[in-house]
């Protein structure tokens, strides 16, 4: 290989300590090349003793880090290979300090690559002229499908023994869940939300929860657990809105002319009436319901509730059958609620900001 590659996962870093993190990583590269900077051991000892930059005081203040970077840059010139700094997830952070730091290190021997979703860049970085100051050359990458990433990490993490089928995850966004009792279907394009890192973290947590929690590991619960985690990792705003002891059926509301309504309220309002109606009347009700469900955020909320496995009771025929169906549906939905709340309480990863 022509390069010594340094991977920098910004979502896993404390951005307040990005300078210290880079110093550690670059010193590792030098040590592999049998090069030991004069100030490396002293600075490393201080970094090892102190977890926060502010505790370094005069040893590694603004000028201290600048001098250290200058020294490291000179030492990196002695390596037989060039160095490639690969910064991941630039679009997911709100600090531009990373660009200033990389500018200090960049040289003929030290090259920098930034990985980012152009559409998600924050603040001034969305301005072409400003971005080109730090990223003069751009290379577009072909999007990788959610299904492909699931397949890759599923095999890498050896997930076949889990009480969950790979297709239950890889087909998300491909198949369209539906409610026969509402004559409604929903779809959602995950493309803009997918990244390699997100899918990796998602499947890591799926595996950990399904192998460490007896309730989650039951065949009847595993898919629901995976879907709750899907909301957590790919729909942050919706996940943040979830509350313990409050059903998502009530939280994911649907906007109508009369104000927010739950899915169950919409079902009661638009379902087929018990008395016989004309074909035109049935089609009119169906069209009215579909228009409401596809409006704005309503479509996303419908899709998420379907993925989580919530059911809508069928109402038709005799009263006794309707009553039994309603009780069964309420019990099923209460079980989904319980699993949602337990996953919220037992999840492992604290999602990075951005």
């Amino acid at each position: 290989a022509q390069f010594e590659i340094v991977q920098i996962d910004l979502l896993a870093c404390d951005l307040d300590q990005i300078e210290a993190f880079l110093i550690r990583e670059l010193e590792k590269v030098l040590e592999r090349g049998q090069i030991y900077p004069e100030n490396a051991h002293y600075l490393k000892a201080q970094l090892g003793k102190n977890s926060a930059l502010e505790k370094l005081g005069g040893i590694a203040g603004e000028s201290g880090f600048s001098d250290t970077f200058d020294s490291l840059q000179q030492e990196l010139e002695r390596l037989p290979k060039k160095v490639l700094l690969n910064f991941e997830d630039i679009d997911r952070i709100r600090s531009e300090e990373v660009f200033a730091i990389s500018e200090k290190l960049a040289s003929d021997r030290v090259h920098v690559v930034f990985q980012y979703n152009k559409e998600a860049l924050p603040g001034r970085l969305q301005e072409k002229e400003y971005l080109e100051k730090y990223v003069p050359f751009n290379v577009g990458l072909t999007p990788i499908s959610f299904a492909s990433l699931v397949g890759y990490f599923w095999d890498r993490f050896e997930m076949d023994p889990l009480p969950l089928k790979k297709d239950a995850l890889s087909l998300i966004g491909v198949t369209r869940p539906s409610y026969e009792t509402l004559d409604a279907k929903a779809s959602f394009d995950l493309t803009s939300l997918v990244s390699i890192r997100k899918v990796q973290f998602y499947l890591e947590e799926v595996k950990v929860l399904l192998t460490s929690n007896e309730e989650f590991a039951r065949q009847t619960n595993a898919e629901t657990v995976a879907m709750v985690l899907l909301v957590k990792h790919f729909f942050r705003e919706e996940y943040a809105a979830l509350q313990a002891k409050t059903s998502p059926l009530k939280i994911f509301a649907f906007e109508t002319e009369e104000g927010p309504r739950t899915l169950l309220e919409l079902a009661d309002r638009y379902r087929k009436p018990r008395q016989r109606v004309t074909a035109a009347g049935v089609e009119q009700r169906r069209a009215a319901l579909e228009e409401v469900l596809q409006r704005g955020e309503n479509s996303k909320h419908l899709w998420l509730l379907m993925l989580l496995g919530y059911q809508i009771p069928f109402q038709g025929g005799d009263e006794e059958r309707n009553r039994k169906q309603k009780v069964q549906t309420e019990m099923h939905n209460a079980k989904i609620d319980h699993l949602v709340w337990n996953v919220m309480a037992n999840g492992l990863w604290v999602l990075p900001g951005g």
Side-chain angles (χ1 to χ4, degrees), residues 9 15 60 140 145 210 232-233 247:
D9 178 7
L15 293 180
S145 71
L210 295 187
K232 176 179 180 179
H233 287 268
S247 174

Side-chain angles (χ1 to χ4, degrees), residues 154 159-170 172 202-231 307-309 332 335-336 338-340 342-343:
W154 186 278
M159 297 177 70
D160 278 336
L162 296 180
L164 179 70
K165 293 183 179 179
K166 179 166 62 175
D167 283 351
L169 304 186
S170 63
I172 294 173
Y202 169 53
L203 288 187
E204 283 180 339
E205 188 167 12
V206 168
K207 180 176 181 179
V208 171
L209 288 195
L210 295 187
T211 54
S212 63
N213 186 296
E214 184 177 345
E215 179 189 20
F216 296 161
R218 293 172 192 159
Q219 193 83 37
T220 54
N221 295 341
E223 186 170 334
T224 300
V225 171
M227 297 309 166
V228 178
L229 293 177
L230 183 90
V231 179
L307 282 183
L308 291 173
H332 170 86
K335 177 183 174 183
I336 301 294
H338 174 77
L339 286 170
V340 170
N342 277 2
V343 171

Side-chain angles (χ1 to χ4, degrees), residues 217-286:
R218 293 172 192 159
Q219 193 83 37
T220 54
N221 295 341
E223 186 170 334
T224 300
V225 171
M227 297 309 166
V228 178
L229 293 177
L230 183 90
V231 179
K232 176 179 180 179
H233 287 268
F234 295 92
F235 298 88
R236 294 187 177 193
E237 185 176 336
E238 285 73 20
Y239 187 78
L242 295 177
Q243 303 172 25
K245 305 307 178 185
T246 302
S247 174
L249 280 168
K250 296 181 179 179
I251 293 173
F252 294 157
F254 294 76
E255 292 300 326
T256 71
E257 287 80 359
E258 294 79 21
R261 295 289 184 270
T262 68
L263 185 58
L264 294 177
E265 288 171 341
L266 285 178
D268 287 337
R269 177 178 175 181
Y270 287 101
R271 74 173 70 257
K272 297 176 183 179
R274 296 171 198 162
Q275 65 271 23
R276 296 182 64 85
V277 295
T278 64
V282 171
E283 177 59 26
Q284 186 178 19
R285 283 176 173 271
R286 187 202 65 77

Side-chain angles (χ1 to χ4, degrees), residues 288-306:
L289 175 61
E290 183 175 1
E291 191 278 325
V292 171
L293 293 178
Q294 298 305 317
R295 186 184 302 168
E297 293 287 289
N298 290 355
S299 179
K300 185 199 298 185
H301 289 174
L302 176 65
W303 188 75
L304 292 174
L305 291 174
M306 287 180 171

